[in-house]
Amino acid sequence: DLHKAIRRQRQMCIRDSGISAGLVMMFLIRNEDESIRVNPKKLSFKKEHLIMILKIGAPAGIQGMVFSISNVFIQTAINGFGSQAVAGSSAELNFEYITYYIVCAFSQAAVTFTSQNYGALQFDRCKKVFRLCMLFSCIFTGCVSVIFMLGSGFFITFFTTDPTVIKYAIIRMAIVMLLELMTGSYEISGGALRGIGHSLLPAILTIFGSVVFRIIWLFTVFKAFHTYDMLLMVYPVSWLITGTSVLIAYFIIRKREFKKVSAAFEI
């Protein structure tokens, strides 16, 4: 039943994505503003633009694909604690996704506004965008997480009334969802790096910290301390490692790039 629910959810996501893409394209084709109107007959590829798109987009896409590898290992480990642990984890994920979407929203904002201001040579604004996205991501994600945590007993009953399932869900809420704001450390800094044209390095660092490290954790720490809590601890620990590495990379590259571009344009 769980696999059927997951498959059904994926099908719904694909369907909704297709509908959204179709509506956006219809809006662009029919829009009266010539600056954004799309004419299908005039669509064509330009090699230099295509290369730039792939250079920035491909690493981010691969990063998202590889995430599923570690998730398979972690889900397999959760399955080992029985059906009630699986049900509790699945129920909690509904709230975890909400908090993560907040981080993703600010990450996308960081990419968009950083790239615009970087192209306009407004480096102070790039720094401000990073600060504001990081700050608001932490505030809003933290507030929503705390609300869900304080009302965890009530919210989880939307999906189950089994006390053991609720217990597992609340444990995951306390260890994972409550610390979800930590993901902003690498999502937003990685987004800002992509905004200034660097996509490969944050993807590599994120894959190592959030995929390779998690698999190593499962076969070492979790194997030695085989508990549900220790399994879930892989998330905040991997976020700390990934966030620290991507933040360091961001500040080093930002300083170097801003200095190089300022010298080139004599700003």
Side-chain angles (χ1 to χ4, degrees):
D1 293 337
L2 177 61
H3 293 301
K4 289 181 179 179
I6 293 174
R7 185 165 59 250
R8 185 165 58 251
Q9 187 176 27
R10 288 176 179 172
Q11 292 173 345
M12 291 174 62
C13 287
I14 294 173
R15 181 201 63 192
D16 293 344
S17 298
I19 293 174
S20 298
L23 291 173
V24 170
M25 184 56 69
M26 183 177 67
F27 171 80
L28 291 173
I29 292 174
R30 295 184 176 184
N31 198 286
E32 296 181 357
D33 188 347
E34 294 185 1
S35 62
I36 63 172
R37 186 169 60 207
V38 173
N39 187 338
K41 294 181 180 180
K42 294 182 179 180
L43 290 176
S44 62
F45 289 107
K46 289 190 177 180
K47 184 178 178 180
E48 61 274 18
H49 294 163
L50 179 61
I51 292 174
M52 181 60 71
I53 290 171
L54 291 175
K55 181 180 177 182
I56 296 175
I62 294 172
Q63 172 185 319
M65 291 169 56
V66 174
F67 259 112
S68 61
I69 296 175
S70 63
N71 289 337
V72 168
F73 281 93
I74 294 173
Q75 185 59 52
T76 301
I78 292 175
N79 293 347
F81 290 98
S83 59
Q84 291 174 314
V86 174
S89 178
S90 299
E92 186 276 345
L93 275 172
N94 292 280
F95 306 101
E96 196 174 310
Y97 285 148
I98 293 173
T99 56
Y100 182 65
Y101 289 153
I102 297 173
V103 176
C104 286
F106 284 103
S107 173
Q108 293 301 315
V111 175
T112 302
F113 290 106
T114 298
S115 60
Q116 290 176 348
N117 286 290
Y118 181 66
L121 306 180
Q122 298 292 330
F123 301 140
D124 287 338
R125 289 186 179 179
C126 290
K127 296 177 182 178
K128 185 177 181 181
V129 166
F130 174 78
R131 291 195 302 269
L132 291 177
C133 285
M134 190 66 75
L135 175 64
F136 289 133
S137 173
C138 289
I139 291 174
F140 289 117
T141 306
C143 288
V144 173
S145 298
V146 169
I147 290 172
F148 283 148
M149 189 69 238
L150 292 176
S152 56
F154 167 73
F155 289 118
I156 295 299
T157 56
F158 291 167
F159 303 95
T160 180
T161 56
D162 186 316
T164 305
V165 173
I166 292 175
K167 183 191 74 173
Y168 279 111
I170 291 176
I171 291 173
R172 177 156 185 152
M173 273 188 164
I175 296 176
V176 184
M177 187 205 66
L178 200 57
L179 298 175
E180 192 74 46
L181 57 85
M182 293 176 65
T183 60
S185 60
Y186 65 86
E187 290 286 359
I188 293 172
S189 53
L193 276 172
R194 293 185 182 94
I196 59 178
H198 291 265
S199 185
L200 183 59
L201 181 58
I204 292 174
L205 293 175
T206 302
I207 289 172
F208 175 80
S210 296
V211 179
V212 177
F213 172 79
R214 289 179 183 178
I215 294 175
I216 293 173
W217 177 281
L218 291 175
F219 288 98
T220 54
V221 178
F222 174 62
K223 188 175 181 180
F225 304 94
H226 196 80
T227 65
Y228 184 71
D229 299 53
M230 189 56 68
L231 170 61
L232 297 180
M233 280 299 297
V234 71
Y235 287 104
V237 175
S238 65
W239 293 339
L240 178 62
I241 293 172
T242 307
T244 301
S245 60
V246 179
L247 277 170
I248 292 173
Y250 167 73
F251 286 114
I252 292 174
I253 293 175
R254 186 182 77 176
K255 182 178 180 181
R256 186 187 68 196
E257 288 296 315
F258 288 1
K259 184 177 180 181
K260 182 175 69 175
V261 175
S262 296
F265 288 90
E266 298 181 352
I267 297 176

